[in-house]
Amino acid sequence: MEEEEETRNQKKQTLIEEVAEKLINGDLEAKIQAARDIRKLVRKSSVKTRSKFAAAGVIQPLVSMLLSPNLHAREASLLALLNLAVRNDRNKIRIVTSGAIPPLVELLKFQNSSLRELATAAILTLSAAAPNKPMIAASGAAPLLVQILTSGSVQGRVDAVTALHNLSTGSENPNLILNVTAVSPLINLLKECKKYSKLAEKTAALLGILSKTEEGRLAISSSEGGILTLVETVEDGSLVSTEHAVGALLILCQSCRNKYRELILKEGAIPGLLRLTVEGTTEAQEKARTLLDLLRDSPPENRLTSSVLERIVYDIAKRVDGADKAAETAKRLLQDMVHRSMELSMSRIQLKAASSTPADIPSK
């Protein structure tokens, strides 16, 4: 049994070496066929096979093929590199250090949609390895990925969002990677996708980053359905996407309460925020409560009447704890909201008193 296993391994090693030899020393047609063979051999193989191909020296010649004027050579090498990189961080790093990023960035500019989207998938795969992120971020890939958000196929747009998310999570200043032109296509993606999907989580995270700049906030509020889409994500999203969406809404409201408070209220945010104070992550609950405090400071004509508020809270409590405990839960939620509102008001009074100087106090 051990002998059979050893024989199989030896045959596989011989095959790997033969394919590597064709790739390194063959003519163009032999190189293209070798690249295709590598893709086939590693598609359903173990990580060990990917490592063996890398050890046989195939990565550098495959990267060199990305610069070939022959489009078939570029496509074959792209597919081979993609398959070598999957589930193998060491290969991902080797591919980048071998110089793959500049030719991949050039391919992102191609009119050939097939090659452009293969390059997008490659950038996505390579950006999953933390050591690669700074080099990819500095390469100029991000603005081209943003363009694909608008013009790419469905899969291309999904890959572009994921790649941008990978790059933004590895950057000390993610706003250097994302620019305001990303807002509109990201809003459109979030409108179209299921709010509890992984795509929605990454899209909402990117919008959360963009909301931290004045230009980003203006773009979100001026995009058709921008704030409504965030409100709908708070209502229907997963734990992760709701946390990002409420965070973006909170940043908007904190940046200019008079402007954004009314826009958020107009889109019917209150029920989703109240639900989030019960059902969200710890961070989402805190953000939702803070945003509710800001929204309750709206002018009288925009405030909810107490009866409407009580009904909303009761409906949420009924869904969470059932009809038997709904009244008790609703009462506790309303008490918490009132208590937090009173604390906030007292803090403001104390802050105002502390900031007054004798010159501010009117004489009798």
Side-chain angles (χ1 to χ4, degrees):
M1 196 74 174
E2 286 181 10
E3 287 181 7
E4 288 179 10
E5 180 70 22
E6 190 175 334
T7 302
R8 275 199 300 271
N9 287 338
Q10 188 56 51
K11 282 183 179 178
K12 196 168 195 177
Q13 185 61 38
T14 302
L15 180 59
I16 288 170
E17 289 170 3
E18 288 173 355
V19 172
E21 173 65 22
K22 277 200 299 181
L23 181 71
I24 295 165
N25 296 315
D27 60 18
L28 182 61
E29 285 305 315
K31 288 176 186 290
I32 292 171
Q33 187 55 52
R36 289 171 177 163
D37 290 342
I38 290 169
R39 182 198 179 197
K40 286 178 188 174
L41 289 166
V42 301
R43 275 178 80 180
K44 296 180 180 178
S45 297
S46 64
V47 173
K48 191 181 288 186
T49 302
R50 292 176 172 85
S51 298
K52 285 180 178 178
F53 265 112
V58 303
I59 287 177
Q60 188 62 63
L62 285 171
V63 169
S64 298
M65 283 174 70
L66 293 175
L67 297 165
S68 171
N70 184 301
L71 296 185
H72 295 298
R74 286 187 172 188
E75 182 177 18
S77 62
L78 253 175
L79 289 167
L81 287 167
L82 263 169
N83 282 275
L84 286 168
V86 170
R87 300 197 309 276
N88 192 313
D89 275 9
R90 183 174 290 183
N91 280 359
K92 290 182 178 77
I93 294 164
R94 282 174 173 168
I95 290 167
V96 169
T97 55
S98 296
I101 299 306
L104 287 174
V105 170
E106 287 304 307
L107 287 171
L108 290 178
K109 302 173 186 175
F110 258 44
Q111 294 302 310
N112 183 312
S113 59
S114 174
L115 281 173
R116 187 177 69 234
E117 296 197 359
L118 279 175
T120 304
I123 293 284
L124 156 62
T125 303
L126 298 173
S127 66
N132 290 343
K133 294 183 182 186
M135 188 177 293
I136 298 172
S139 70
L144 297 167
L145 293 170
V146 170
Q147 288 178 19
I148 290 167
L149 293 181
T150 304
S151 60
S153 68
V154 173
Q155 188 59 53
R157 291 156 74 197
V158 170
D159 287 350
V161 165
T162 308
L164 286 166
H165 183 264
N166 284 348
L167 294 175
S168 66
T169 54
S171 172
E172 291 181 5
N173 189 353
N175 284 307
L176 295 177
I177 294 164
L178 291 167
N179 64 51
V180 73
T181 59
V183 169
S184 183
L186 286 171
I187 290 289
N188 289 334
L189 269 177
L190 193 54
K191 278 182 193 173
E192 295 167 10
C193 71
K194 293 175 181 175
K195 302 296 186 290
Y196 52 81
S197 65
K198 293 292 182 186
L199 177 59
E201 292 176 0
K202 293 178 175 67
T203 305
L206 294 174
L207 286 167
I209 291 168
L210 286 159
S211 71
K212 293 175 182 177
T213 67
E214 180 61 25
E215 295 82 1
R217 292 189 287 272
L218 287 171
I220 289 170
S221 61
S222 60
S223 291
E224 186 179 351
I227 290 178
L228 175 60
T229 303
L230 289 173
V231 168
E232 289 174 344
T233 306
V234 168
E235 291 174 347
D236 302 324
S238 67
L239 288 174
V240 174
S241 56
T242 54
E243 184 175 311
H244 290 309
V246 73
L249 290 171
L250 177 59
I251 290 170
L252 261 65
C253 202
Q254 286 175 326
S255 71
C256 183
R257 294 166 65 211
N258 289 337
K259 176 179 180 179
Y260 293 110
R261 182 176 58 204
E262 293 180 14
L263 293 174
I264 295 168
L265 280 169
K266 187 176 130 184
E267 301 299 356
I270 297 292
L273 291 172
L274 286 169
R275 186 179 305 117
L276 203 55
T277 64
V278 179
E279 299 176 354
T281 63
T282 302
E283 190 170 343
Q285 288 180 13
E286 186 58 35
K287 288 177 179 178
R289 291 187 185 112
T290 305
L291 183 52
L292 282 166
D293 286 337
L294 292 171
L295 296 177
R296 279 203 302 276
D297 279 342
S298 58
E301 63 269 19
N302 285 339
R303 287 183 183 165
L304 291 173
T305 64
S306 60
S307 60
V308 172
L309 186 59
E310 286 171 9
R311 189 170 68 249
I312 291 170
V313 174
Y314 179 81
D315 287 343
I316 294 167
K318 188 176 178 181
R319 281 195 293 274
V320 175
D321 285 346
D324 294 343
K325 297 181 180 179
E328 183 183 342
T329 301
K331 183 179 177 182
R332 190 174 68 250
L333 282 172
L334 286 165
Q335 284 175 342
D336 179 59
M337 290 169 67
V338 170
H339 178 66
R340 289 181 60 79
S341 182
M342 288 174 66
E343 281 184 339
L344 193 63
S345 298
M346 184 58 68
S347 296
R348 284 180 185 147
I349 291 168
Q350 289 171 343
L351 188 63
K352 191 172 181 181
S355 64
S356 296
T357 63
D360 295 324
I361 302 171
S363 57
K364 292 184 180 178

